[in-house]
Amino acid sequence: MNEDTPISRQLFSIPNLMGYFRIILIPFIVWRYVTAETITDYYIAAVIIGISGITDFLDGFVARKFHMITKVGKALDPIADKLTQGAIVIALSFRFPAMTALIVLLVVKEGFMGIMGLIMLRRGKMLDGAKWFGKVSTAVLYVVMFLLILVPQIPMKAANGLILLCGALLLFSFISYIPVFWKMAQDS
């Protein structure tokens, strides 16, 4: 299976099924966290996030290893990532007010990425996967979100420090993508 495989077959590839599964997990993560009353409830939310994260790793691994990279998968994977990140950050903002700034930064960065991606797509170009700075920012965001859920009794100062770290890396990633898109625009 590859990008030239008919869309109808691409929809049900194993990596894409894993992407759908990650999207289905989102309401369960949010519900379990927002309604948590005990430490066990928080642990269950963290386990569901862990399953989502493992599935995220596996869908990319399987797609590359077994030559199942598809156009659908290239669109689905980042959509599942962003929906998961956004939902968890919003859920965490109910307990950690500093998350609100992270939400704004995420919306601005992802809005920029989406708009620039569409502009480049209209010009027949496409960003060739996430860059290292985007991957680092995303990985740290997931680790911090996981920790904030797994350790609900974390001191607010420590939580705010972790959120600040995420914000700094997210801002760095956003700023680093600007010249990438600029170069793509100049090459067209």
Side-chain angles (χ1 to χ4, degrees), residues 105-119 127 173-182:
L105 193 51
L106 261 172
V107 168
V108 169
K109 180 201 175 249
E110 295 309 325
F112 169 79
M113 297 292 291
I115 291 167
M116 291 309 295
L118 286 173
I119 290 169
L127 192 61
S173 175
F174 173 47
I175 291 168
S176 298
Y177 270 113
I178 294 171
V180 171
F181 282 109
W182 177 262

Side-chain angles (χ1 to χ4, degrees), residues 22 24-35 41 44-53 84 87-88 91 142 149:
R22 286 174 39 221
I24 290 168
L25 285 178
I26 294 169
F28 293 100
I29 295 167
V30 172
W31 170 77
R32 183 69 286 164
Y33 179 76
V34 172
T35 63
D41 294 336
I44 292 168
V47 166
I48 299 169
I49 290 172
I51 291 167
S52 179
T84 302
I88 296 170
Y142 269 113
I149 290 174

Side-chain angles (χ1 to χ4, degrees), residues 55-68:
T55 306
D56 184 22
F57 167 77
L58 285 175
D59 71 10
F61 175 78
V62 169
R64 286 185 297 277
K65 178 85 173 168
F66 298 102
H67 309 289
M68 299 174 118

Side-chain angles (χ1 to χ4, degrees), residues 94-134:
F94 287 98
R95 182 143 190 267
F96 303 101
M99 276 289 178
T100 306
L102 210 57
I103 292 169
V104 172
L105 193 51
L106 261 172
V107 168
V108 169
K109 180 201 175 249
E110 295 309 325
F112 169 79
M113 297 292 291
I115 291 167
M116 291 309 295
L118 286 173
I119 290 169
M120 291 300 119
L121 196 57
R122 286 187 172 184
R123 294 181 180 182
K125 295 182 177 255
M126 194 171 174
L127 192 61
D128 190 28
K131 303 297 180 196
W132 70 268
F133 38 84

